[in-house]
Every structure is written in C-alpha cells, then in structure tokens.
Amino acid sequence: MKNLNPIMISGKEVLPLIEGGKGINGSDGRSSGAWARENCVGTFSGVSPDCYDSMGNVIIEKFSKKLRADRHEEMVEYAIKGGVAQAQVAHEISNGNGRIHINMLWELADSERILTGVLERAKGLINGVTCGAGLPYHLGELASKFGVYYYPIISSARAFQVLWKRAYNRFVEYLGGVVYEDPWLAGGHNGLSNAEDPAKPQTPYNRLVELRRTMNELGLQEKPIILAGGVWSLSDWDDYIDNPDIGKIAFQFGTRPMITKESPISDAWKKVMMQVKKGDVILQKFSPTGFFSSAIKNTFLENLMRRKDGEVAFSHEQTEEFNHPLTIRANKTVYIKGADAAKAERQLSAGYTEVQETPDSTVVFMTPEEVKQMKADRAACVGCLSQCQFSTWSKAKGTTGRLPDPRSYCIHKTLYDVGHGGSIKDNLLFAGHQVYRFATDPLYRDGIPSVRELIEKIKKGE
C-alpha cells in the first residue's frame, strides 16, 4: 500500500483519517477524543448529544411541556448543552492532538440555532463542522463567523456547484474540504437524487474525479476531498491515494469505528453488527426525512417493509377500475381495485385490521397495537426535523399540510432509544453496507479493539 502522508485539515497537519460523525449516540466525545489523540480527526454527533449531571451521569431527555413548540425548545436546549459537553470530553481526551469536528444534520429543525449555540459556548474546542442531509447553504457563513472550518457533505459534483454558486464562494477561507459520501454505500441517510437509481450503484472513482475537476475549476485545488461511505480498509482504495485526478484526499470511517472500546453504542448493538451478513443492510426510503437511508434488517425494518408491501391504492369514488369497497373507519368507505381485494383480505385476516390512509392515495394495514403506538409517538413529537412526513411537523409553517404518513416512523424516538440501551430488534439500526466485514475481520477475532489499535491497522492497510 502507498504511504499515508499527513495533510492539512482544519488548520493543522494530521493523518488523513477521519471518524465519521453519525447520528444520535453513534459517536461522542469519548470516541472522537480518542481519534484526535492519535493525530487523526475525531467527529462527534451534534444530533441529540448527551449532557451530564454533576455526578457525570447521562441526563436522559425528558420533555415536560404540553405544546409541541415548547417541547421543541426543550430539545434545542438539550442539544446545545450536549454538544458543549461532548466537545469538552473530546478536547480533554485528545490531549491537544489531532482535530475535533462536530457533525450536524442540516434537516434537523433549528440546526443553525443549535450549531450557533454550541460554537458560542465551546469556543476553541471545536475545529470543524461537517454537515449533510440537505443543502446547508448557511454553513459557510455560520462557521466562518466563529473561525471554524466547514465541510459540506455531498454526493455529487453538481450538489457542490449549487452550494458554491449560492453561498460558499463568499466564504472560501474556512472551507476546509468537501466530504463525498457515496449514496449507495454509506450508512444512515444517503444523498440519492431523483435522477439516480438506488439499485444501480455508480463507481465512486468517476464521481470523485468529476468532483475534483469541478473544484479545480473553482480554484480549490488545495482543498481535500474526504471520501466517506463504504470505507473499511485503505487497501481497497490504494489507487485513490496520490492520484493526480483526485488530488488531496482523506478517508472517513463510519461503520468500522462503531466496534471499539471507546464507541458509545451498547454491547448488544455491537454484537448484532458482528453477526451481520452481506445483504443484511437494506437501502430504503422509510425515513420521515424523505431521504433514502441504509439500516440493518431487523424486526423494526421488517415491519415497515411488510407494511409497504401490503400497500394498495384507493379511490374515494367508485369507478370502473376502483370498484371493490373497503371500510377504513366506521363511517368511511373507499374503493380499491378488484385485483387488490384478496391482498387486502389476507392482511385483515392476519390481524392487520386497522386501515390507515397515506398521503399518496393508498392505504396500509396495521395492528391495533401498532396504530396505538403510532398515535402516541405523534402526540409526543418534539419537532426534531425541519419537515417530518411521520408527524406532519414543519418548523416553517407548523405543518406540512399533508396527511401524516403511517409508512414512516418517529426517527428521534427510535434512534435515541437504541442509543441509550433500547431494544436492538425493535429500533432502527443505521449501518453502512460494509458492516458484514466485521464477521471476517481478524482485528475483531480476539475481542473489541481500542481506537488506537484500529487506527494502527488502518494505517497498515489492514
């Protein structure tokens, strides 16, 4: 393997190895501080990060307000306090080495307020901000205000061009680099556009070459590209290193660092990841954000897949095509296609007796218990997303104006629960498509390694 030389990231020369930020409790100050201590870049999640009481115990989120808008304010304050707490932990563990970044989900409602609050209260502790899930136009201005480097997460050269022309050309100094996250390989939310087929992955190489060509045309030759999504071993990417068509490059590891001693995820979650087989990670579009996302197939995901598979179209009026009546409430009947009548009857007979409308003139079939839980989750909504398909919350208008979507779920609830010891069967488990490699990776045969041990293997291309 080619030599791995340090490069300039966030104002300091470090190894081009970066811990991916991930979402709720996927990375925190302990893991990011350990990565920075090895003269790499550690990234903690800014999405519902943990804060602590005076004894150092995690303060579990509890929302006491009756109105959703007020609960949302509670969520924002939790996030700011947690972001500061994780920055402090990471800084202390790093011993002043490496770089500390915070990862923010742009589609998080009030993400700008949260990020501003964290950077104000944690001055000098955070060196960079990565941000994806949407087009973060204001990221350059916000980060530059605090003298912090920023790294937009994109999945195509076209997306970066849009950001550059609209905003980033005015904030070049603190543009630290561009994160290319492969939409077919990455875990969590992916940036697949409507023009791209989720079943037909494209090679990252050609897309990186196109991104570098675009960046060169904009005078950004010295800004590194950070490759994310599907990065497990550097030996897989040897021809990307010191490649003139790609230029300066760093590598972001998302899934592999999740099984280390410093990783904050539960032992049960780690155990599941060790047992995943190739093909067990599903790319699907159930997320209430509207984005594609990748997660491990478990009971939670199987229930959503079953619900989607059982979906049938309907009409409010009887027509020649929609001619079979279906009672969806005591006082409401709709009409489905005769060809779907048997499909509907099978689900009703199997106990999925609650018929729920979707925003797309279809219905899905659920158990009474599922509907009860869905209604409870909506009633407890804290407005975590700028727009949510599950609860119809919209930060801008109060509502999206559409029907709530029963094919989706409360993303805050499930990610927070699994991140704090909840069921690994009945919650969402985001993961990249390389997770199956844990089962055969020699590093994990004798137990869980430390971050230092993992990085030593990474540097050798193992």
Side-chain angles (χ1 to χ4, degrees):
M1 195 190 80
K2 296 172 186 172
N3 290 329
L4 197 63
N5 299 314
I7 65 172
M8 192 68 71
I9 297 180
S10 295
K12 185 176 183 180
E13 205 169 66
V14 296
L15 289 172
L17 304 177
I18 299 173
E19 174 198 23
K22 298 175 280 294
I24 296 176
N25 212 55
S27 62
D28 67 359
R30 292 168 292 176
S31 62
S32 57
W35 272 74
R37 189 173 54 206
E38 301 305 314
N39 201 38
C40 300
V41 179
T43 311
F44 68 88
S45 173
V47 183
S48 294
D50 287 335
C51 52
Y52 307 99
D53 62 21
S54 59
M55 301 297 292
N57 300 309
V58 172
I59 299 174
I60 299 298
E61 290 182 346
K62 291 182 180 178
F63 303 100
S64 59
K65 304 296 184 181
K66 290 184 178 181
L67 298 179
R68 176 162 52 184
D70 293 335
R71 293 195 298 273
H72 174 75
E73 291 302 312
E74 290 181 290
M75 184 206 74
V76 169
E77 188 56 30
Y78 271 127
I80 293 173
K81 289 180 179 178
V84 174
Q86 297 309 322
Q88 292 169 337
V89 170
H91 179 75
E92 182 176 341
I93 292 174
S94 73
N95 291 328
N97 297 329
R99 299 279 85 178
I100 300 294
H101 288 182
I102 180 174
N103 182 61
M104 180 58 69
L105 181 80
W106 197 248
E107 284 302 306
L108 189 72
D110 277 322
S111 57
E112 293 180 58
R113 273 182 63 201
I114 294 170
L115 192 53
T116 298
V118 172
L119 294 179
E120 280 179 343
R121 300 187 199 180
K123 289 180 179 178
L125 303 181
I126 297 172
N127 310 113
V129 180
T130 58
C131 191
L135 291 172
Y137 293 116
H138 299 154
L139 179 62
E141 181 179 8
L142 194 160
S144 298
K145 174 183 174 183
F146 292 96
V148 170
Y149 292 86
Y150 66 100
Y151 300 81
I153 302 173
I154 53 90
S155 59
S156 68
R158 181 177 175 274
F160 179 68
Q161 279 184 312
V162 171
L163 289 167
W164 175 264
K165 290 179 180 178
R166 181 163 170 177
Y168 294 172
N169 64 86
R170 301 192 300 275
F171 305 98
V172 182
E173 181 183 359
Y174 285 100
L175 175 63
V178 179
V179 181
Y180 169 79
E181 185 175 74
D182 188 272
W184 291 277
L185 295 174
H189 291 108
N190 300 324
L192 278 170
S193 71
N194 293 331
E196 293 161 332
D197 189 338
K200 295 180 180 179
Q202 298 175 19
T203 172
Y205 185 88
N206 294 336
R207 293 166 75 90
L208 257 66
V209 170
E210 182 183 5
L211 176 58
R212 174 54 68 190
R213 188 182 304 119
T214 297
M215 292 173 67
N216 288 349
E217 291 170 357
L218 299 173
L220 304 175
Q221 293 90 339
E222 296 303 309
K223 305 291 185 182
I225 292 174
I226 298 168
L227 175 61
V231 179
W232 187 273
S233 170
L234 291 183
S235 60
D236 300 332
W237 310 94
D238 196 44
D239 56 342
Y240 288 52
I241 301 172
D242 295 330
N243 186 316
D245 291 331
I246 293 177
K248 290 186 177 181
I249 187 169
F251 298 90
Q252 179 170 300
F253 295 78
T255 299
R256 204 175 179 193
M258 293 182 76
I259 301 186
T260 59
K261 292 177 180 176
E262 294 87 347
S263 169
I265 70 171
S266 69
D267 290 341
W269 191 348
K270 292 174 183 176
K271 183 178 180 180
V272 167
M273 297 180 81
M274 288 289 291
Q275 299 171 344
V276 170
K277 297 178 177 63
K278 193 170 185 178
D280 284 351
V281 174
I282 309 297
L283 180 61
Q284 34 68 35
K285 206 174 183 181
F286 298 122
S287 171
T289 62
F291 294 119
F292 278 93
S293 66
S294 294
I296 296 172
K297 188 176 180 180
N298 61 356
T299 303
F300 180 86
L301 201 55
E302 286 172 347
N303 284 338
L304 290 169
M305 293 167 68
R306 180 212 59 78
R307 196 175 302 167
K308 176 64 179 175
D309 289 342
E311 183 177 16
V312 297
F314 77 89
S315 169
H316 289 288
E317 305 294 332
Q318 186 173 12
T319 67
E320 184 176 345
E321 183 181 18
F322 292 89
N323 55 17
H324 186 87
L326 176 69
T327 300
I328 62 174
R329 287 192 294 277
N331 61 346
K332 185 172 184 178
T333 297
V334 298
Y335 299 89
I336 62 176
K337 298 175 184 178
D340 288 331
K343 182 179 181 180
E345 183 56 38
R346 283 194 299 272
Q347 295 182 84
L348 293 168
S349 299
Y352 301 103
T353 55
E354 295 289 330
V355 186
Q356 298 291 306
E357 294 177 66
T358 81
D360 300 319
S361 296
T362 63
V363 291
V364 293
F365 299 80
M366 303 171 64
T367 66
E369 292 76 17
E370 287 174 335
V371 171
K372 182 179 179 180
Q373 185 62 62
M374 180 179 67
K375 290 180 177 179
D377 291 345
R378 286 178 181 151
C381 175
V382 297
C384 68
L385 298 175
S386 59
Q387 290 194 81
C388 178
Q389 295 179 357
F390 175 74
S391 69
T392 73
W393 158 267
S394 168
K395 175 60 182 173
K397 300 178 181 179
T399 177
T400 62
R402 304 191 76 201
L403 282 174
D405 198 333
R407 298 165 298 186
S408 191
Y409 53 87
C410 177
I411 194 166
H412 182 274
K413 173 194 170 184
T414 185
L415 293 180
Y416 193 86
D417 188 46
V418 77
H420 294 82
S423 169
I424 47 87
K425 291 182 178 179
D426 300 316
N427 281 303
L428 186 69
L429 296 179
F430 276 150
H433 290 257
Q434 300 289 312
V435 66
Y436 71 92
R437 295 177 70 169
F438 277 123
T440 57
D441 192 321
L443 178 61
Y444 303 91
R445 287 178 184 166
D446 298 322
I448 295 176
S450 66
V451 164
R452 173 172 291 179
E453 290 169 331
L454 171 60
I455 290 174
E456 287 303 312
K457 291 293 185 182
I458 288 174
K459 289 192 292 187
K460 294 175 183 177
E462 298 177 7

